[in-house]
Amino acid sequence: MAKETILLAFSGGLDTSVCVKWLQEKHDARVVTLTVDLGMVDLEEIRQRALQIGAVDALTVDGREDFVRDYVFPALKAGAIYEEQYPLATALGRPLIAKYLVEAARRVGAGAIAHGCTGKGNDQVRIDVSVGALAPDLKVIAPVREWGWNREEEIEYAKRNGIPIQERNSRFSTDENLWGRSIEAGELEDPWSEPPEDAFAWTNPISKTPEEPTYLEIAFERGLPLSLDGEEMRSVDLVEHLNGIAGQNGIGRIDHIENRLVGIKSREVYESPAGVVLHAAHKALEAMTLSKDQARMKQRVAQEYSDMVYNGLWFTAHRRDLDAYVESTQRHVTGSVRVRMHKGSCTVVGRRAPRGLYSHQLATYDRGDTFDHRASEGFIAIYGLPVRTQTRTQGEGEEA
Ligand code: ARG
């Protein structure tokens, strides 16, 4: 009988490198790897490594455009920030990786998909649930969840099997894509200790940021960022460019005690320079263009949306419904926002929208005021009616 083929999601790190051999041994399978670039990945180098370790084939995909267009920007429009802190970079990447895994598994005739996630994180849930949603017939194998080795035992296995170990040996576990960098483990596990400078890679410490502020104008159309300082850019370039300038100004560091889906609280540190700036700018434009009720409702949806993404439910009818609502809210979210980036903070200092709801005539205290001040008397008489009634009958106006 021909050997079974397993498709392995391969990052080139120690875990997935060891997975190649472990799958060959335990499952007596042909292992094909797939490496996905969602930003900051050297595909060719990782491909060579997979082949060197013994993969029968090593596939790659540049997913950067799909990622920004179909995952990052919809989440930006939704205002999706988990627990008001985390712009969800890792969480948004996982369903797309799962989608590519399923496509590749079909192409190479694999009956199972394997990945290097551990058994206590969110990522295993996101990948397993996403693969299940797209291809319920495919088996999912998570060797790291099964083998139960500590780091020393894993390195021991790697050495025994001639797997080259890259001695970069960071104290931290990191994951990165265009939307951000996630950093965990090492001394970050002590919630009292300040993240050390070498945990960060994309953002300057305040001491190294420019003395002068950087101003930037970001234009949006229907909720989508289109240009920076008047220069139209492809979405991937726009995000990359913004990561650069905002990171230089020390913007985007996040230190979060996070509620994982698997019931653990964990200390997570993130860098998301473009994420922080774009969310702030987008929100500012919505403040100009959505009615109060729309804005209030959208806030609730944002929370639901971020939980849905965080919890691995991307490929669901629920997400499509939320997306439809969000898309509808963006009809007039067109205009420009001016931000000032300086010493780690990003401040919105200006906004304009051709179909904005802000009316200077109504808002002004100067000449040209068209607001009918006298009409407020009648409004207040009725608005305050139940309050007066309650005081008269129950004496509840002031605490006794
Ligand atoms: N806690 C974050 C999340 O659940 C980041 C996970 C980072 N993954 C990693 N392998 N370091 O989205």
Side-chain angles (χ1 to χ4, degrees), residues 271-296:
E271 294 180 285
S272 182
V276 165
V277 173
L278 286 175
H279 271 295
H282 180 261
K283 199 166 172 211
L285 193 57
E286 286 194 333
M288 289 287 280
T289 51
L290 298 186
S291 71
K292 179 177 165 183
D293 291 330
Q294 287 177 304
R296 295 289 195 278

Side-chain angles (χ1 to χ4, degrees), residues 163-177:
I163 298 167
I165 297 168
Q166 294 153 321
E167 286 302 345
R168 253 175 306 164
N169 225 1
S170 161
R171 307 172 335 266
F172 308 110
S173 157
T174 58
D175 176 70
E176 57 185 41
N177 62 42

